[in-house]
Every structure is written in structure tokens, then in C-alpha cells.
Amino acid sequence: MALSTLTPLAYTGRCCTGTRVGRGGPARPGRARRWQGRILVGSGLALLPWLGYLAGTLPPVEAIAWVTLDVLEAVALLAAGTRLWRADLRHRAPAAAAAVLLLADVCVDVATAAPGPELAVAAAMAVAAELPLAALCGWLARRRSA
């Protein structure tokens, strides 16, 4: 009985790969899911040039920490976005990871920013990009269907 509670996919009619399968084969994502997947993939790809900028402008010790955090964010966003784009139910874990990483990034950015223009930029990035993206990722991680 305990094993059945740990493996809900076996009882919902979904195959072991994590994709939805109906009468016509693998499910196609709806228009909203495709857009959400594109947003996540685009955000993950947008972080790549930012990584180069951080690596080239920050002192080496700081660059390692910030680049590592942003690489993890990019990987989680790309994984969640591509899986969501393909209607793969396994998008939930990377979406949850991306949400947590984005929230951590916001906290550290705002906490370490110097008062003045640097704090204003950190707050603007948090409000305009990171928090809405974290909210989308959290919502996608919580939602059961693809």
C-alpha cells in the first residue's frame, strides 16, 4: 500500500517517461503552455550573455559565486521550459528549482547592493523580471497537468 502512494503515475494512466499519453499518442501542449515554455527558455538563454558579463567584470571570488548561481538558474529555466514546451510532466521539478533560485537571487541582490543607484537597479530587476518569473515557475511547479 505504501508503494502505491509513492508512485502515483502508475495509477493515473501516464507512461513512465513523464509525458501525457492519450488516444492519439503524446499530448501536444496548448497555446498557453507553449508561450510559458518560450518565456522560460528565452529567460534561460538571456542569462547566457549576462554570465559572460559577470565573469568579466566582477572580482574572481565574487564572479564564481554569482556565475554559479546564474548558471543554475539558466539550467533550471531551460530544463523547465523545454519540458513544458513538449508537454512533459517532468517540468515541475526544474520549475520549482528555478523559482527557489530566482528568489534566492533576489534576496542576495537586494541585500548586497550598495545604497543608491545599485540598490535601485537591483530592486528594479527584482520587480520587473526575477519576481514575476519566480511566480510563474512556482505556479507551474504546483500545477499538476502539462
Side-chain angles (χ1 to χ4, degrees), residues 5-78:
T5 60
L6 296 175
T7 57
L9 292 178
Y11 297 99
T12 60
R14 297 183 181 115
C15 78
C16 59
T17 62
T19 58
R20 279 191 346 196
V21 177
R23 285 191 247 164
R28 297 186 61 180
R31 175 177 275 167
R33 291 293 180 196
R34 285 193 305 266
W35 273 105
Q36 292 161 355
R38 287 177 185 153
I39 290 169
L40 296 183
V41 169
S43 299
L45 291 175
L47 280 173
L48 299 180
W50 178 248
L51 295 171
Y53 172 77
L54 288 178
T57 58
L58 292 175
V61 175
E62 290 180 30
I64 291 171
W66 285 110
V67 169
T68 302
L69 177 62
D70 286 347
V71 163
L72 293 173
E73 287 175 16
V75 167
L77 288 167
L78 290 169

Side-chain angles (χ1 to χ4, degrees), residues 105-133:
D105 194 3
V106 167
C107 292
V108 174
D109 280 345
V110 172
T112 60
E118 190 176 330
L119 182 59
V121 169
M125 286 179 60
V127 170
E130 294 167 332
L131 290 175
L133 193 56

